[in-house]
Short mmCIF file of all heavy atoms in Angstrom, two decimals:
data_model
loop_
_atom_site.label_atom_id
_atom_site.label_comp_id
_atom_site.label_asym_id
_atom_site.label_seq_id
_atom_site.Cartn_x
_atom_site.Cartn_y
_atom_site.Cartn_z
N GLN Q 270 0.36 -22.12 0.64
CA GLN Q 270 -0.63 -23.07 0.13
C GLN Q 270 -0.12 -23.79 -1.11
O GLN Q 270 -0.33 -24.98 -1.28
CB GLN Q 270 -1.93 -22.33 -0.19
CG GLN Q 270 -2.57 -21.69 1.05
CD GLN Q 270 -3.72 -20.78 0.67
OE1 GLN Q 270 -4.09 -20.71 -0.48
NE2 GLN Q 270 -4.26 -20.09 1.65
N ASP Q 271 0.55 -23.04 -2.00
CA ASP Q 271 1.08 -23.68 -3.20
C ASP Q 271 2.16 -24.67 -2.88
O ASP Q 271 2.35 -25.66 -3.58
CB ASP Q 271 1.64 -22.61 -4.16
CG ASP Q 271 0.52 -21.69 -4.65
OD1 ASP Q 271 -0.65 -22.12 -4.58
OD2 ASP Q 271 0.83 -20.56 -5.08
N SER Q 272 2.88 -24.44 -1.79
CA SER Q 272 3.98 -25.33 -1.45
C SER Q 272 3.51 -26.68 -0.93
O SER Q 272 4.30 -27.60 -0.79
CB SER Q 272 4.88 -24.68 -0.39
OG SER Q 272 4.18 -24.57 0.83
N GLU Q 273 2.19 -26.80 -0.63
CA GLU Q 273 1.72 -28.08 -0.11
C GLU Q 273 1.84 -29.18 -1.14
O GLU Q 273 1.99 -30.35 -0.80
CB GLU Q 273 0.26 -27.93 0.34
CG GLU Q 273 0.09 -26.94 1.48
CD GLU Q 273 -1.37 -26.66 1.75
OE1 GLU Q 273 -2.21 -27.36 1.16
OE2 GLU Q 273 -1.67 -25.75 2.53
N ALA Q 274 1.76 -28.82 -2.42
CA ALA Q 274 1.82 -29.86 -3.45
C ALA Q 274 3.24 -30.39 -3.63
O ALA Q 274 3.44 -31.55 -3.97
CB ALA Q 274 1.31 -29.30 -4.78
N THR Q 275 4.24 -29.54 -3.41
CA THR Q 275 5.63 -29.95 -3.59
C THR Q 275 6.40 -29.66 -2.32
O THR Q 275 6.66 -28.51 -2.01
CB THR Q 275 6.27 -29.19 -4.77
OG1 THR Q 275 5.46 -29.39 -5.93
CG2 THR Q 275 7.68 -29.69 -5.01
N PRO Q 276 6.76 -30.65 -1.54
CA PRO Q 276 7.49 -30.39 -0.29
C PRO Q 276 8.84 -29.78 -0.59
O PRO Q 276 9.51 -30.12 -1.57
CB PRO Q 276 7.62 -31.79 0.34
CG PRO Q 276 6.60 -32.62 -0.35
CD PRO Q 276 6.45 -32.06 -1.72
N ARG Q 277 9.26 -28.87 0.29
CA ARG Q 277 10.55 -28.22 0.15
C ARG Q 277 11.55 -28.82 1.14
O ARG Q 277 11.18 -29.20 2.23
CB ARG Q 277 10.43 -26.72 0.40
CG ARG Q 277 9.62 -26.01 -0.67
CD ARG Q 277 9.34 -24.59 -0.24
NE ARG Q 277 8.44 -24.60 0.92
CZ ARG Q 277 8.09 -23.50 1.55
NH1 ARG Q 277 8.54 -22.35 1.16
NH2 ARG Q 277 7.29 -23.57 2.60
N SER Q 278 12.78 -28.81 0.75
CA SER Q 278 13.81 -29.37 1.61
C SER Q 278 14.29 -28.38 2.64
O SER Q 278 14.80 -28.76 3.67
CB SER Q 278 15.01 -29.85 0.77
OG SER Q 278 15.54 -28.77 0.02
N SER Q 279 14.15 -27.09 2.37
CA SER Q 279 14.59 -26.09 3.34
C SER Q 279 13.78 -24.83 3.14
O SER Q 279 13.19 -24.59 2.09
CB SER Q 279 16.10 -25.78 3.17
OG SER Q 279 16.31 -25.13 1.94
N VAL Q 280 13.79 -24.00 4.16
CA VAL Q 280 13.04 -22.76 4.09
C VAL Q 280 13.72 -21.74 3.20
O VAL Q 280 13.12 -20.77 2.77
CB VAL Q 280 12.86 -22.19 5.51
CG1 VAL Q 280 14.19 -21.67 6.04
CG2 VAL Q 280 11.82 -21.08 5.53
N ALA Q 281 14.98 -21.93 2.89
CA ALA Q 281 15.70 -20.96 2.08
C ALA Q 281 15.15 -20.87 0.68
O ALA Q 281 15.36 -19.89 -0.01
CB ALA Q 281 17.19 -21.32 2.04
N GLY Q 282 14.45 -21.88 0.21
CA GLY Q 282 13.97 -21.87 -1.15
C GLY Q 282 12.63 -21.19 -1.32
O GLY Q 282 12.12 -21.15 -2.43
N SER Q 283 12.03 -20.68 -0.25
CA SER Q 283 10.71 -20.08 -0.37
C SER Q 283 10.81 -18.69 -0.95
O SER Q 283 11.60 -17.87 -0.50
CB SER Q 283 10.05 -20.02 1.00
OG SER Q 283 10.86 -19.29 1.88
N PRO Q 284 10.02 -18.35 -1.97
CA PRO Q 284 10.08 -17.01 -2.55
C PRO Q 284 9.43 -15.99 -1.65
O PRO Q 284 8.62 -16.31 -0.80
CB PRO Q 284 9.30 -17.17 -3.86
CG PRO Q 284 8.37 -18.29 -3.59
CD PRO Q 284 9.09 -19.22 -2.66
N VAL Q 285 9.76 -14.75 -1.88
CA VAL Q 285 9.31 -13.65 -1.03
C VAL Q 285 8.84 -12.52 -1.94
O VAL Q 285 9.25 -12.46 -3.09
CB VAL Q 285 10.47 -13.17 -0.13
CG1 VAL Q 285 10.03 -12.10 0.83
CG2 VAL Q 285 11.02 -14.36 0.64
N PRO Q 286 7.95 -11.64 -1.50
CA PRO Q 286 7.52 -10.54 -2.34
C PRO Q 286 8.68 -9.73 -2.88
O PRO Q 286 9.73 -9.63 -2.26
CB PRO Q 286 6.64 -9.70 -1.41
CG PRO Q 286 6.15 -10.66 -0.39
CD PRO Q 286 7.24 -11.67 -0.23
N GLU Q 287 8.46 -9.13 -4.06
CA GLU Q 287 9.53 -8.40 -4.72
C GLU Q 287 10.02 -7.23 -3.89
O GLU Q 287 11.19 -6.96 -3.78
CB GLU Q 287 9.03 -7.89 -6.08
CG GLU Q 287 8.54 -9.01 -6.97
CD GLU Q 287 7.76 -8.45 -8.14
OE1 GLU Q 287 6.89 -7.59 -7.89
OE2 GLU Q 287 8.03 -8.83 -9.26
N ALA Q 288 9.11 -6.50 -3.32
CA ALA Q 288 9.48 -5.36 -2.48
C ALA Q 288 8.66 -5.42 -1.21
O ALA Q 288 7.50 -5.78 -1.22
CB ALA Q 288 9.21 -4.04 -3.23
N ILE Q 289 9.25 -5.06 -0.14
CA ILE Q 289 8.62 -5.21 1.18
C ILE Q 289 8.31 -3.84 1.73
O ILE Q 289 9.15 -2.95 1.73
CB ILE Q 289 9.55 -5.98 2.12
CG1 ILE Q 289 10.01 -7.27 1.48
CG2 ILE Q 289 8.90 -6.25 3.45
CD1 ILE Q 289 8.88 -8.21 1.16
N SER Q 290 7.11 -3.67 2.21
CA SER Q 290 6.72 -2.39 2.80
C SER Q 290 6.77 -2.48 4.30
O SER Q 290 6.64 -3.53 4.89
CB SER Q 290 5.31 -2.01 2.34
OG SER Q 290 4.38 -2.95 2.84
N THR Q 291 6.92 -1.33 4.92
CA THR Q 291 6.95 -1.19 6.37
C THR Q 291 7.92 -2.14 7.03
O THR Q 291 7.56 -2.97 7.83
CB THR Q 291 5.55 -1.38 6.97
OG1 THR Q 291 4.60 -0.78 6.11
CG2 THR Q 291 5.46 -0.73 8.33
N PRO Q 292 9.21 -2.10 6.68
CA PRO Q 292 10.16 -2.96 7.38
C PRO Q 292 10.49 -2.38 8.73
O PRO Q 292 10.33 -1.18 8.97
CB PRO Q 292 11.38 -2.95 6.44
CG PRO Q 292 11.29 -1.63 5.74
CD PRO Q 292 9.83 -1.29 5.61
N GLN Q 293 10.96 -3.25 9.62
CA GLN Q 293 11.38 -2.81 10.95
C GLN Q 293 12.89 -2.59 10.90
O GLN Q 293 13.66 -3.53 10.82
CB GLN Q 293 11.02 -3.86 12.00
CG GLN Q 293 9.59 -4.35 11.90
CD GLN Q 293 8.58 -3.25 12.17
OE1 GLN Q 293 8.90 -2.32 12.88
NE2 GLN Q 293 7.41 -3.35 11.62
N ALA Q 294 13.29 -1.35 10.93
CA ALA Q 294 14.70 -1.04 10.77
C ALA Q 294 15.33 -0.76 12.11
O ALA Q 294 14.81 -0.02 12.92
CB ALA Q 294 14.87 0.17 9.85
N GLY Q 295 16.51 -1.33 12.32
CA GLY Q 295 17.27 -1.05 13.51
C GLY Q 295 16.62 -1.47 14.79
O GLY Q 295 16.99 -1.04 15.86
N GLY Q 296 15.61 -2.32 14.71
CA GLY Q 296 14.96 -2.80 15.91
C GLY Q 296 14.02 -1.81 16.56
O GLY Q 296 13.55 -2.01 17.65
N THR Q 297 13.72 -0.68 15.90
CA THR Q 297 12.85 0.32 16.49
C THR Q 297 11.43 0.23 15.98
O THR Q 297 10.53 0.81 16.55
CB THR Q 297 13.39 1.72 16.20
OG1 THR Q 297 13.45 1.90 14.78
CG2 THR Q 297 14.78 1.89 16.77
N GLY Q 298 11.21 -0.48 14.89
CA GLY Q 298 9.87 -0.62 14.36
C GLY Q 298 9.42 0.55 13.51
O GLY Q 298 8.28 0.62 13.10
N THR Q 299 10.29 1.54 13.22
CA THR Q 299 9.89 2.67 12.41
C THR Q 299 9.91 2.29 10.95
O THR Q 299 10.83 1.63 10.47
CB THR Q 299 10.87 3.84 12.65
OG1 THR Q 299 12.19 3.38 12.37
CG2 THR Q 299 10.79 4.32 14.07
N PRO Q 300 8.89 2.71 10.18
CA PRO Q 300 8.86 2.34 8.77
C PRO Q 300 9.99 3.00 8.00
O PRO Q 300 10.37 4.14 8.27
CB PRO Q 300 7.50 2.84 8.31
CG PRO Q 300 6.70 3.05 9.56
CD PRO Q 300 7.69 3.39 10.61
N VAL Q 301 10.51 2.27 7.03
CA VAL Q 301 11.55 2.78 6.15
C VAL Q 301 10.95 2.96 4.78
O VAL Q 301 10.42 2.02 4.20
CB VAL Q 301 12.75 1.81 6.07
CG1 VAL Q 301 13.77 2.32 5.09
CG2 VAL Q 301 13.36 1.66 7.45
N PRO Q 302 10.97 4.16 4.21
CA PRO Q 302 10.35 4.36 2.90
C PRO Q 302 11.13 3.65 1.81
O PRO Q 302 12.35 3.58 1.82
CB PRO Q 302 10.40 5.88 2.72
CG PRO Q 302 11.51 6.32 3.59
CD PRO Q 302 11.56 5.39 4.75
N VAL Q 303 10.41 3.11 0.86
CA VAL Q 303 11.00 2.43 -0.29
C VAL Q 303 10.49 3.11 -1.53
O VAL Q 303 9.29 3.35 -1.68
CB VAL Q 303 10.63 0.93 -0.30
CG1 VAL Q 303 11.25 0.24 -1.49
CG2 VAL Q 303 11.08 0.28 0.99
N ASP Q 304 11.39 3.46 -2.45
CA ASP Q 304 10.99 4.11 -3.69
C ASP Q 304 10.13 3.21 -4.54
O ASP Q 304 10.49 2.06 -4.82
CB ASP Q 304 12.25 4.50 -4.49
CG ASP Q 304 12.59 5.96 -4.29
OD1 ASP Q 304 11.74 6.67 -3.74
OD2 ASP Q 304 13.70 6.37 -4.68
N LYS Q 305 8.99 3.71 -4.95
CA LYS Q 305 8.09 2.95 -5.81
C LYS Q 305 8.35 3.34 -7.26
O LYS Q 305 7.51 3.87 -7.96
CB LYS Q 305 6.63 3.22 -5.44
CG LYS Q 305 6.29 2.90 -4.00
CD LYS Q 305 4.86 3.23 -3.71
CE LYS Q 305 4.51 2.92 -2.28
NZ LYS Q 305 3.13 3.26 -1.95
N THR Q 306 9.56 3.13 -7.71
CA THR Q 306 9.95 3.49 -9.06
C THR Q 306 10.45 2.29 -9.79
O THR Q 306 10.86 1.30 -9.20
CB THR Q 306 11.04 4.58 -9.03
OG1 THR Q 306 12.12 4.09 -8.23
CG2 THR Q 306 10.51 5.87 -8.40
#
């Protein structure tokens, strides 16, 4: 929604959350734990 005010030239510039939960690892869909430290 915030990006609507300023068009981007490529998708590579879009920010992403600092840490990602429940990633799909190895194509199996099993959650990978991430240290919350």
Side-chain angles (χ1 to χ4, degrees):
Q270 297 171 6
D271 296 339
S272 67
E273 297 171 9
T275 305
R277 293 171 293 176
S278 58
S279 67
V280 71
S283 58
V285 184
E287 302 166 312
I289 308 299
S290 65
T291 321
Q293 312 296 333
T297 60
T299 56
V301 176
V303 180
D304 261 347
K305 302 178 180 179
T306 55

